Structures are given as C-alpha cells and as structure tokens.
Amino acid sequence: MVVCGDDGLAHRLATELRGVYREQVVLVVPPSRRTPPQPMAGRARAASAALFGRMVTAVNRGTADSDDTLVPDERVMEAAEPTEAVLADAGVDRAAALALVYDDDETNIRAALTARRLNPRLRLVLRLYNRRLGQHIEELLDQAAELAAGTTAGHRDGHGGHGGHGGHGADIATTVLSDADTTAPALVATALVGTSKVVDAEGLLLRAVERRPPRPGEVADPGLCTLALLSATSNDPAGAEGSEDSGDGPRLLPDAEAVAAATGRGAVVLEQVSYSGPPLPARRAGVMPFASLFSARLRWSLAGLVAAVVALAVALIVVTDDHPLHAIYITLLDLFAINDPAVDAPLGQQVLQLLSGLVGLLLLPVLLAAVLEALGTFRTASALRKPPRGLSGHVVLLGLGKIGTRVLTRLRELHIPVVCVEADPEARGMAVALRLRVPVVVGDVTQEGVLESAKIHRADALLALTSVDTTNLEAVLYARSVRPDLRAVLRLYDDDFAKAVYRTLRTAHPAALTRSRSVSHLAAPAFAGAMMGRQILGAIPVERRVLLFAAVVVDGHPQLEGRTVAEAFRPGAWRVLALDTAARGDTAGAEPPGSGLVWDLPDTYVLRAGDRVVLAATRRGLAELLGRRTRSPR
C-alpha cells in the first residue's frame, strides 16, 4: 500500500493500514522544513514511526482482532510532489493500492493520472472535495483501467482484448472520498446524541448504544439488532477486561441463544439517529411564506382597518336600509374620497361619510408601510438571515469551511435548526447557508457578543469546526461559562491534543457533554477500507475491539449466495443487517419494491446473486468473507 499526503490524514491512514489490516505501507510525505530533506529520514519519518509504534503496541495488547501476523516494517519517503519518478520509487507499479490524500485536489488528480498509466491494475483512492468533479474522475480512471487491462490481456492471449475483463475484475477501481463527507455524520451524531459511534448507511444515520443489564422481569429493547455483549466486568470499575475466549470479554455479533443466556451483561444495540428538538417550519423550497412579507404589527393594523370598514358598511345598511352590496360600494367610495359629498343626505349618512374619510386617511400610511416592508423583504431575501428572536433548541455551528459546510448540509437534511457563525464573509459555506436559508452571524467568535448573537444561551449543542484549534477551544470554554450544561463538540487537528482537551473538560464540567474530535482520526478508517477494496460504511468501537460495516454484493460469495439470512449469519464473524432494494428493484416477497435499505429482513429470505447487502463483521470475519489473499513473508 502506498500513501501520499501532506497532513495528518496521511499519517493516520498509514497507521490504520499497517496496524489494523497488517499491510506493508510506503508513506510519501513532504520534506521537513526544519531539517535538510533526506529520502528516508526527517521529522515526517519520526512522526510516522511514532504513530506506527503506538499502533503496534495496541495491536500487541489485543486492540486488533488478529494476533497471528507480524506487523511488517514501514517505509517513509520524503518528496515535495508525487511526480512520476517519486511514484515509481515508491513502488506504485507493483503496489496493490495507492491513496492520494493531499489537501489540493489538482495535486491528487495529476498524481492519479500518472499512477494509472504506471499501473493500470492499481486500486486508487483519491481525496477530493468537489463531488461532481470526483464522479467524473472516477469514471475516467476506471475506463482507463478497463481499456488498459483489456489491451494487455488481448496481447497476451492473442484475442485482441477478449480476455481483458476476466483479468480486470471489480477489485480494480477508483474511489473518490472526502474527509469532510466521511466525518460529517460522526460530528452530527455527536452533536445530537453525544456519541461518534455512528454509521452512515445510504443517508441513514445509525448509532451503537450501550444498554445496561436488564433488571429482573424487565424486557430489554433490542433496537434494530444486538451487535455485541459487553464484558462481564464492564459494570465493575475495579474489574479488568477479559478475553473473548474466556467468556469474560466482549462478544461481537452474538446469536439469539447467547443474548438470552447473557445475564448481568450490558449490550451494544443498533439504533437510528433521530432528532427530538423543535422542528423546522414546513415550507416549500424556493417559496417565501406570506407571513414573512409583513411584520406582525402591520398585519394587526390591516386587520383593524378591515374591521372598521366592515363596521361602517353595516352601519350604513342600518341607517339607509340599502342593499348590502350597494352599501359596501358606497362605503368604499367614501373611504377612498371619490364619492360626492352627502350634503343633502340625512345626518346619519353624513356622519358615516366623515368617518369613512377618516379611516381612508389612516389607510394610506398603512398601505405605504406594507409596500415598503414587502420591498425590503424581497431585497433581503438574497442576503444572509439573522437568528430569529424566539429561536431555541438549535445547533450553533462555528466555521463554514469544508467540514462545516458538509455538517451544515447534513443537519438541514435532518431538519435540525442551525445558526452559523463565520468570520470570513467570503467563506465557501456562505453560499450554501444562503441557499438553505440558514441564519448566519458574521464575526469573530472570539469577540464578545458574537456567540450571544447566535443565541448560544438557548441552544442545545455547539459544533466548533473552524480550522484553528485555539479558536475552537476558546469558543467552547466561553460557551461553557455562558451555559455550563451545553453539549459541545470541537474539532482539533491533533488526536493526542483532542484526547487531553476532552479529559480536562470532562473533569471540569462533569455534568455536561463535551467531545473533541480529530478529522483525520475520523476519516482514516473510511480511506483505509476503500484501499482494501471494500465498500466500508463505517466502524464502531466496542471496548477494545472494532465492528466494521460494509456493503457487499452477494454474487461470488458462497457464504452468502443461495443461503437464507439465518444460514448466512456466522456468530462472531459477520451478520447480514439490511438489503439494498435499489440494487435489484425488488425483495422477492420480503418487502414491497422501493428504494433504500430494508432492515427487517426475515430469516427465511434467500440471498440471491444480484443482491447488495449491508453487513456487520469483525476484521477477521470480513477478511475471510471477502477472500483476502495472503502474502508470503519476505
């Protein structure tokens, strides 16, 4: 595996590949600025070696699922740019996968085109922020791989490309990911329910919830399914975690008998993330509600004038005994001062005409105010909104950069009220906030009064996602002084710093929920899964072990194809959770045709070759299910 990058994501990704998946990794990083550039030394090597060393220690202690494979040595190269010579020196021509995770999209695209030419069978993983461009790049690089593989096979067997598809296979592919997209679900779930144990499955957010042991006579809620049984000593602060073989450790993917027999042990169940706060007002996209055109005071003034006109019309009917329609017509003429003076009319009619003229004088400023307010509303429709006065129960989002923009979009998809705070009026997320009609406070969050303008004292959660760690930390500390019980999530670049901040804030505010998250730490598992050729949806930690969620096509897997859901379930290894109905268009009687995922599959449903399923698996189980090839040791 070759990893090329210029920030913490590259180091974290290399650590994930080496420590979790036991892969030989070549890490290409920019040369150190403080020391002369050396090919195999420098601060980059020291940083990577430190990360690798911590992961190896965790592996040896039992964090990973496998302990029967030695962790191979790493290789760290230093290069300013991933040129053709650098990629060739890194061994791209004989590598299984290449990850290009530079912060610049153009650098990743240029290197990907070069790598595809050097090795058409290479699995590529690119980090791109632009989604539309990423789709086109995926199609272009996959098409180039297919053509190159077909030409190579045609020359080899003499059939002009007829054998190319057999050598190509689905394992050679290009995957375009964004660290913003991969971390947004975890950040949103942390702000809503206080946990990052979340999986994004086809737009549906799922979370793993730890349930306490049920009391005698109490029936525990299994949720969507039971993912794991916690250690027998998990409820004992002085207890030590046991191993799974001894029966005291956590049991991943237990069967129904094991769940029923587990007494006094907590469980991890799968649930759907939902929002229970105040909903957004329902309105059609692109349509401005009528009530927003005029203020409440102006609407009451118009209602009072209408009531006065109706009263004058009724009084005229009583005085003159005229027809109602004619009486209303005469009243309106008097109101707009276009009727003849009632000089020869009875006294009552003259008084009503004077009152109608007076009401008409009052109507003129009200109509003028209505016109001015409507014009002002349409003029400010293209400007950023301000937080409403009575807003409460919302989420305050700091920073509208790459991460903040994706989180904002995700929050609005869940119909959650949001108030954004951004110091740069030209930030990339400003256009998204304007399009989504989200209130935005423009100002430096470190200045006094900015968070108050965002109604932080009435908010439910604070998401500090700016690119400056000190700004995020200062904003959270200030929000804590305003509201000690506020749920706060802050983005920090360094994972060790994030852990230290989390522990300190948890100690200082034990009654509040505080989470610190590193973007590279949250995004690395998704990039590592894509490099392994698997459609990894996410990973959920269970004590010192990890459960992986993957989308797998049943075709070609004898453990799944032709078997029922109950027969395909292997306790402790993998379990089918859902069926993607959009992949086939039907569910063979299990559920009516539709799009999305079917989570309540019956145990008697037979998995067919064209089915695409979502399953939970351990690392060992997923490697066995997908037939991971083994390498001979050097």
Side-chain angles (χ1 to χ4, degrees):
M1 302 290 176
V2 181
V3 179
C4 303
D6 56 357
D7 57 6
L9 178 58
H11 298 278
R12 176 62 59 180
L13 176 55
T15 304
E16 187 85 7
L17 290 170
R18 183 175 180 268
V20 175
Y21 295 101
R22 307 297 197 277
E23 293 292 333
Q24 296 179 354
V25 181
V26 177
L27 178 61
V28 180
V29 293
S32 174
R33 297 180 179 178
R34 298 184 180 180
T35 58
Q38 301 176 2
M40 297 295 293
R43 293 192 63 194
R45 179 182 177 88
S48 301
L51 283 173
F52 289 155
R54 286 198 296 270
M55 181 60 73
V56 172
T57 303
V59 169
N60 294 333
R61 290 179 179 177
T63 302
D65 290 341
S66 176
D67 55 1
D68 55 357
T69 305
L70 294 178
V71 179
D73 294 333
E74 77 282 354
R75 179 188 175 196
V76 181
M77 296 177 53
E78 290 189 353
E81 293 183 359
T83 61
E84 182 174 353
V86 171
L87 294 177
D89 190 21
V92 168
D93 55 337
R94 58 186 182 277
L98 167 66
L100 298 166
V101 293
Y102 291 94
D103 191 55
D104 181 39
D105 289 359
E106 183 180 352
T107 302
N108 294 329
I109 295 174
R110 188 187 306 115
L113 296 174
T114 304
R116 180 60 80 207
R117 187 176 68 254
L118 294 176
N119 186 355
R121 301 183 59 83
L122 182 69
R123 188 183 306 116
L124 287 174
V125 178
L126 277 72
R127 173 189 183 183
L128 296 181
Y129 181 79
N130 192 327
R131 293 178 177 177
R132 182 174 301 178
L133 177 60
Q135 294 176 357
H136 295 313
I137 292 298
E138 271 192 20
E139 297 174 358
L140 176 64
L141 293 175
D142 285 345
Q143 185 178 4
E146 293 177 0
L147 293 176
T151 303
T152 303
H155 286 294
R156 183 170 56 249
D157 60 16
H159 290 285
H162 289 82
H165 296 288
H168 180 252
D171 197 36
I172 304 173
T174 304
T175 304
V176 176
L177 296 175
S178 168
D179 52 346
D181 288 328
T182 54
T183 58
L187 293 172
V188 171
T190 305
L192 294 182
V193 293
T195 179
S196 62
K197 297 181 179 180
V198 62
V199 177
D200 185 6
E202 305 295 335
L204 180 66
L205 286 181
L206 305 171
R207 63 166 174 166
V209 182
E210 293 186 5
R211 296 283 178 80
R212 59 174 176 78
R215 297 186 178 91
E218 182 182 3
V219 179
D221 182 12
L224 293 176
C225 68
T226 301
L227 295 177
L229 297 173
L230 298 177
S231 300
T233 58
S234 60
N235 296 321
D236 183 8
E241 294 181 359
S243 63
E244 187 174 5
D245 297 334
S246 64
D248 296 332
R251 298 192 61 179
L252 302 184
L253 303 176
D255 53 14
E257 291 77 7
V259 174
T263 56
R265 299 179 63 168
V268 178
V269 300
L270 194 65
E271 288 184 349
Q272 180 180 353
V273 174
S274 59
Y275 176 65
S276 58
L280 290 172
R283 66 180 181 90
R284 292 179 296 175
V287 178
M288 185 177 299
F290 179 78
S292 64
L293 293 177
F294 310 107
S295 63
R297 182 179 300 177
L298 182 60
R299 293 197 299 269
W300 279 110
S301 300
L302 289 173
L305 289 175
V306 171
V309 172
V310 173
L312 290 173
V314 172
L316 185 60
I317 294 173
V318 174
V319 171
T320 62
D321 197 16
D322 199 357
H323 191 274
L325 293 179
H326 188 265
I328 294 175
Y329 175 69
I330 295 298
T331 302
L332 293 176
L333 290 178
D334 294 335
L335 184 70
F336 295 111
I338 58 178
N339 194 15
D340 294 332
V343 177
D344 299 330
L347 179 62
Q349 188 174 353
Q350 292 177 349
V351 173
L352 291 177
Q353 188 179 48
L354 292 176
L355 292 177
S356 298
L358 179 61
V359 173
L361 293 177
L362 298 176
L363 180 62
L364 288 177
V366 174
L367 292 178
L368 180 60
V371 172
L372 293 178
E373 279 200 6
L375 291 177
T377 301
F378 282 112
R379 188 185 304 113
T380 57
S382 59
L384 295 174
R385 294 181 57 196
K386 294 183 179 180
R389 292 184 178 179
L391 182 64
S392 63
H394 58 285
V395 176
V396 177
L397 175 62
L398 308 183
L400 288 177
K402 293 193 303 183
I403 306 298
T405 304
R406 291 288 190 259
V407 172
L408 171 61
T409 305
R410 195 70 173 134
L411 289 171
R412 292 294 292 187
E413 290 175 354
L414 296 174
H415 305 289
I416 300 172
V418 187
V419 174
C420 300
V421 179
E422 175 57 51
D424 184 11
E426 303 297 328
R428 70 173 69 201
M430 285 295 190
V432 178
L434 178 62
R435 175 173 55 86
L436 297 177
R437 301 288 297 162
V438 174
V440 178
V441 177
V442 180
D444 188 357
V445 71
T446 60
Q447 299 296 326
E448 187 176 358
V450 175
L451 281 178
E452 283 81 359
S453 301
K455 315 296 182 184
I456 191 65
H457 56 286
R458 291 202 297 264
D460 276 354
L462 170 65
L463 278 168
L465 304 180
T466 68
S467 57
V468 183
D469 290 358
T470 55
T471 300
N472 296 333
L473 182 57
E474 183 178 354
V476 170
L477 293 176
Y478 181 75
R480 278 278 179 265
S481 64
V482 175
R483 185 176 173 182
D485 60 342
L486 180 70
R487 180 183 294 120
V489 180
L490 66 156
R491 167 195 176 189
L492 298 176
Y493 183 80
D494 184 72
D495 189 46
D496 293 334
F497 183 49
K499 293 179 181 178
V501 169
Y502 162 69
R503 293 170 181 170
T504 305
L505 290 177
R506 183 182 60 179
T507 304
H509 302 277
L513 178 62
T514 305
R515 294 291 185 265
S516 54
R517 296 289 178 249
S518 170
V519 172
S520 61
H521 181 76
L522 294 175
F527 281 82
M531 290 191 71
M532 299 304 297
R534 306 161 187 165
Q535 185 60 38
I536 302 294
L537 301 177
I540 291 179
V542 179
E543 294 185 0
R544 297 174 64 177
R545 304 191 65 190
V546 174
L547 269 179
L548 299 176
F549 292 79
V552 178
V553 178
V554 174
D555 189 14
H557 300 292
Q559 303 94 333
L560 303 177
E561 186 176 356
R563 298 174 180 266
T564 63
V565 173
E567 294 172 347
F569 173 41
R570 182 180 295 182
W574 62 76
R575 176 176 182 174
V576 176
L577 299 178
L579 174 68
D580 187 2
T581 58
R584 288 190 66 110
D586 64 281
T587 57
E591 287 289 337
S595 61
L597 298 174
V598 179
W599 292 91
D600 52 350
L601 278 177
D603 293 338
T604 57
Y605 174 74
V606 179
L607 300 175
R608 295 178 290 173
D611 288 340
R612 181 174 178 265
V613 296
V614 175
L615 51 85
T618 61
R619 292 192 181 104
R620 280 183 179 179
L622 190 60
E624 177 185 353
L625 179 65
L626 300 182
R628 176 183 172 187
R629 62 181 183 274
T630 58
R631 299 185 308 270
S632 58
R634 294 185 178 180

